[in-house]
Amino acid sequence: MSNVGTFTVEDGVGVITIDSPPVNALGIAVRRALQEGFNIFGANDEVKSIVLICGGRTFFAGADISEFGKPMQQPDLVGTLSQIESASKPVIAAIHGTALGGGYEVALTCHYRVAVPSAKVGLPEVKLGLLPGAGGTQRLPRITGAATALDIIVGGNPVPAQKALELGMIDALVEEGNLREEAIAFARKIVAEGRPLKRVRDRQDKVDADKGNMALFDDYRRRNAKALRGFKAPENIILAIQAAVELPFEEGIKRERELFRELQASTQSAAQRYYFFAERQAAKVLDLPSDTAT
């Protein structure tokens, strides 16, 4: 049994709860717990649907950036997401706090997404000089269309739950403070109504509508030229979303990985990541009581 994951069955719904303080980052312990939970419930005939929820103050906050530059332990994030997406039973992501970066990429591989009104979702990797490297640039355009995906991913800002619902980024809002119970009820409803396993990767209508429309991407570059000048990540994101529109999903994923690795190895991203950690470290003063006034 994992020390960061608990697995319970409630009237036919398997509930995977991940609790890895402080923010449920998607490090190796969390990925192994997810693998274990989906293996257990996949083999349990009593389980008809699965709810994925997190303890603590937030849903998965994102990838464990401390693992960057180190040999990746298995299962890696891409393999973990593939296991979730290929589950033979409906998987519902139950979101509170924030589902950002890799956290929202996890939610995108679930078949359905519910969230409390105070939650926020998004793909802010651009702020680290990166792009979403686990399918975010390929799945989000299949929900929102390329134009909206460009605004969300290149902009990098969190999307409040109500707006996310309007855009289709989540499927339902549930009562604040009652996430677990309402997510389980939603999972039972999915089964009772015989709803299909809705894999985002299989959706084509939004990207097919943009296919061949290269002016969409050129216009975006032109409108945002001043804000994007000097930064490499936005252009790679544009190219990745263009791949989502023009290529089959698996080919688009390969293109996304190429563009991600290019950024990951760049001095610009290294500098932006250094700034990210340094800014947070600067706010922590040793031996200073946490309640000290500014």
Side-chain angles (χ1 to χ4, degrees):
M1 180 68 72
S2 166
N3 63 350
V4 300
T6 57
F7 319 116
T8 59
V9 180
E10 301 186 25
D11 292 335
V13 179
V15 181
I16 298 174
T17 305
I18 301 296
D19 194 353
S20 180
V23 292
N24 296 310
L26 291 158
I28 183 58
V30 168
R31 298 196 302 272
R32 285 175 177 164
L34 289 170
Q35 182 183 61
E36 181 181 358
F38 279 95
N39 284 342
I40 290 171
F41 290 149
N44 186 342
D45 292 338
E46 180 187 347
V47 172
K48 305 303 181 185
S49 57
I50 300 169
V51 166
L52 176 57
I53 193 168
C54 290
R57 67 175 188 259
T58 185
F59 194 69
F60 303 106
D64 188 344
I65 301 174
S66 68
E67 292 185 345
F68 283 9
K70 301 176 183 177
M72 180 58 67
Q73 299 183 70
Q74 297 299 317
D76 62 14
L77 182 56
V78 172
T80 301
L81 299 190
S82 178
Q83 181 181 18
I84 296 171
E85 191 169 52
S86 61
S88 60
K89 304 168 184 181
V91 180
I92 294 85
I95 301 168
H96 77 294
T98 58
L100 300 176
Y104 187 58
E105 287 179 302
V106 170
L108 284 172
T109 60
C110 297
H111 303 114
Y112 297 90
R113 289 153 291 282
V114 302
V116 294
S118 62
K120 295 180 180 180
V121 301
L123 297 166
E125 285 88 345
V126 68
K127 298 179 186 296
L128 298 177
L130 298 169
L131 57 75
T137 67
Q138 303 305 296
R139 292 186 178 92
L140 186 61
R142 286 172 159 80
I143 290 177
T144 66
T148 300
L150 283 167
D151 287 337
I152 292 171
I153 305 178
V154 176
N157 296 316
V159 180
Q162 180 59 51
K163 182 64 174 179
L165 178 66
E166 295 168 8
L167 294 174
M169 297 173 71
I170 61 173
D171 297 292
L173 290 178
V174 299
E175 183 183 354
E176 199 79 46
N178 203 30
L179 177 60
R180 180 186 177 92
E181 293 76 10
E182 293 214 23
I184 291 171
F186 185 91
R188 290 196 187 107
K189 183 179 180 182
I190 293 297
V191 173
E193 294 178 353
R195 292 198 207 176
L197 299 180
K198 291 171 56 179
R199 297 201 308 174
V200 173
R201 61 171 290 163
D202 295 333
R203 301 187 194 181
Q204 282 297 125
D205 57 315
K206 295 283 189 180
V207 289
D208 283 348
D210 293 325
K211 191 162 291 188
N213 184 13
M214 291 303 100
L216 185 157
F217 301 97
D218 292 338
D219 289 346
Y220 185 85
R221 290 184 180 97
R222 184 167 54 254
R223 290 197 314 272
N224 297 279
K226 184 176 180 180
L228 304 184
R229 186 176 297 119
F231 291 99
K232 184 173 179 58
E235 176 60 22
N236 280 32
I237 291 169
I238 294 169
L239 293 173
I241 294 174
Q242 186 175 327
V245 170
E246 297 297 327
L247 301 175
F249 182 81
E250 288 298 341
E251 291 182 33
I253 284 286
K254 290 178 182 177
R255 181 64 174 141
E256 178 191 83
R257 293 302 297 170
E258 291 171 358
L259 293 165
F260 174 83
R261 292 190 185 103
E262 183 180 305
L263 293 174
Q264 189 179 23
S266 70
T267 56
Q268 188 173 99
S269 177
Q272 287 179 260
R273 281 179 272 147
Y274 177 85
Y275 179 84
F276 176 87
F277 285 117
E279 186 177 42
R280 281 147 185 79
Q281 191 63 37
K284 300 174 183 177
V285 181
L286 293 177
D287 302 321
L288 187 69
S290 59
D291 60 351
T292 302
T294 302

